[in-house]
Structures are given as C-alpha cells and as structure tokens.
Amino acid sequence: MSVRMVMSFLRRDLRVMRSYRAAMLGQVVGTLLFLASFAVVAPIISDDFGDEYGAGYIAFAAVGIAVTGALLSALQAFSDSVREAQLEGTLEAILMAPVRREAVVAAMGAYPLLAGTVAAGLTLGVAAALAGGFDVHPVSALLALAVSLAAFAALGLLSAAVVLVVKRGNPLATLVGMVGAVTAGAYAPVDTFPGWLQAIAAINPMTYALDAWRSATLLGEGPADVAGDLAVLLVVALVVGPLSWGVLRRAIDVARRDGTLITY
C-alpha cells in the first residue's frame, strides 16, 4: 500500500466532507455534549475517586470516550468505506485499480481512521483545558496510540471482509463496539464490575488499550510501565493483521468470481 494511494483517498474524502460541514460540526458537538454529561455526573462520584484511580472522574471518563471513539473508528473505517462504495456502485471500479485489492480497501479507511483520531485528540484537549487532571507522558501516549490503532485496524479489516460477503452493515464492528466499550471500563473502573464482567474485560482488547492510554495520559507512566498492556495489543495486531489481510483477499476474490461486487 503506497503513501500516494492513501493520500489520494484522503484528498477525495476531505473534499467530500467539506461539502458536509454541518454534519462534521454535529459530530464534534455531539461528542462534547456526551463529555458534558459525564461532567454533570462527576460531582456525585465519591471524593476519593482521584486518590484511588490517579485522576478525577471527568478526566477518567474523557479518556474512555476519546479512546473508544478512536478505536471504534478504526474498527469501522474499512467496513463503512466498503459499504458506502457498494451502495454508490463504485466498489468494482475502485477495485479494478492495478494494485493489490486488499491494499485499496485498507487505503479507503484512511480518512475515517484519521478523523476518529483527531476527534479523540479534541475530546482530550477540551477535557484537559476545562477539568485538568492530566499528566501526559508523550512517548507512552504515542506508543499507546500507534499500537492500539494497529490492533483495532486489524480487526476492522476483518469486518470489511464480512461486509463484502454479507453486503450489510458491519455486524462484527457493532457487536465488538457495543460490548467492548462497556466491558472495557470506558465509563467506570473495571474493578467495580461484578466478577463475571471482569472476566469478559480480561479478554477484551479494548480493556488493555484503555489501561495503556490512562496510564500514559493520566498517570504520566513511562513505556516500561505500559509495556504489558501494549504487548497484548501488539499480539492482537500481529496475529489478527495477517489473518485479516488473507481473509479480506479471499472475500474480494470470491465477490469478483461470483460477480457480486456491483450488488448490494
């Protein structure tokens, strides 16, 4: 996948989104209002929350909102782009380019992935400016960003393969996203969950992403301190990534053979 191809899709999607400024503004306002709802709840949280978890509840929730938003963008970027191209009737033409077709699908998700990351940064910036409570270690934060996005982008490619076959929305992304955000402790500490829910959190990749992000942005912990969480995410990326690439290639080949790229 070449940088030129990624930039081409980025420019295309940016031109499209400039025509929908109201929608972009609505997404930003919606995220900030969601964050504001947690600010309303924060005063009823026990006073020792910050002592126990290293930051106030607003900062804790802001990281949960921002990170789950970015990771869900990575999870849905490729499948949503494929589905949009299916509905527009442009998917077959796009995949006729003289490059590896799975690389084209990966490049199609560049803009949603970037937009989700920028939205996460905006959420964290607003929360830090208005509520404080952040202690950022920049190296750890960058590592958490790179490794967590890599892990969830790998899962996202698998979701795109599903959409190519079933020609519906992204059921895998929806399921993982809805269950993952809640069980990972996006809005409440995992150690307050009942035992069975903590067991689910322990096998949820989003849990390790949130732990790494909170350690890096709220506690100021260095790379050695977040290495365990990053190692789990790296394993997900290295195992699921090649698998997703192969499954995606197979899904494209099957759709081309059956002549279903132009159907939706």
Side-chain angles (χ1 to χ4, degrees):
M1 181 170 58
S2 69
V3 174
R4 179 179 297 180
M5 181 166 59
V6 172
M7 293 305 297
S8 296
F9 279 106
L10 275 176
R11 286 192 295 268
R12 182 202 67 171
D13 291 339
L14 282 169
R15 285 195 296 269
V16 171
M17 289 309 299
R18 278 200 296 267
S19 302
Y20 298 94
R21 293 185 179 90
M24 293 177 63
L25 180 60
Q27 290 175 353
V28 172
V29 171
T31 300
L32 295 180
L33 288 175
F34 189 40
L35 178 60
S37 68
F38 285 90
V40 173
V41 173
I44 68 174
I45 304 297
S46 61
D47 294 335
D48 61 352
F49 187 93
D51 296 332
E52 187 169 356
Y53 297 104
Y57 181 70
I58 296 178
F60 180 93
V63 174
I65 294 169
V67 173
T68 54
L71 298 185
L72 290 179
S73 293
L75 195 61
Q76 297 171 348
F78 312 103
S79 56
D80 284 356
S81 296
V82 166
R83 185 59 183 156
E84 183 178 354
Q86 283 179 331
L87 295 174
E88 292 174 347
T90 60
L91 183 60
E92 184 179 36
I94 291 173
L95 293 181
M96 290 299 289
V99 293
R100 296 181 66 177
R101 295 178 180 87
E102 58 271 27
V104 174
V105 173
M108 289 169 65
Y111 174 79
L113 192 60
L114 177 62
T117 303
V118 171
L122 176 63
T123 301
L124 293 176
V126 170
L130 298 181
F134 286 78
D135 180 10
V136 180
H137 192 293
V139 175
S140 296
L142 287 173
L143 287 172
L145 172 66
V147 178
S148 60
L149 285 181
F152 279 80
L155 292 167
L157 288 172
L158 192 60
S159 181
V162 173
V163 170
L164 276 167
V165 174
V166 302
K167 296 176 177 55
R168 293 289 185 272
N170 41 6
L172 176 64
T174 301
L175 176 63
V176 173
M178 292 175 59
V179 176
V182 174
T183 62
Y187 316 120
V190 171
D191 60 12
T192 64
F193 293 171
W196 65 270
L197 198 54
Q198 291 187 35
I200 295 175
I203 59 173
N204 181 357
M206 200 174 288
T207 303
Y208 300 93
L210 283 169
D211 286 347
W213 274 86
R214 286 185 172 128
S215 296
T217 60
L218 301 181
L219 305 180
E221 295 184 343
D225 299 306
V226 298
D229 294 320
L230 296 182
V232 173
L233 295 170
L234 188 60
V235 168
V236 172
L238 293 177
V239 172
V240 178
L243 173 64
S244 298
W245 202 257
V247 171
L248 180 59
R249 182 190 304 118
R250 177 60 178 164
I252 294 170
D253 289 343
V254 169
R256 292 182 67 238
R257 183 195 65 201
D258 296 343
T260 58
L261 283 176
I262 59 174
T263 63
Y264 56 89

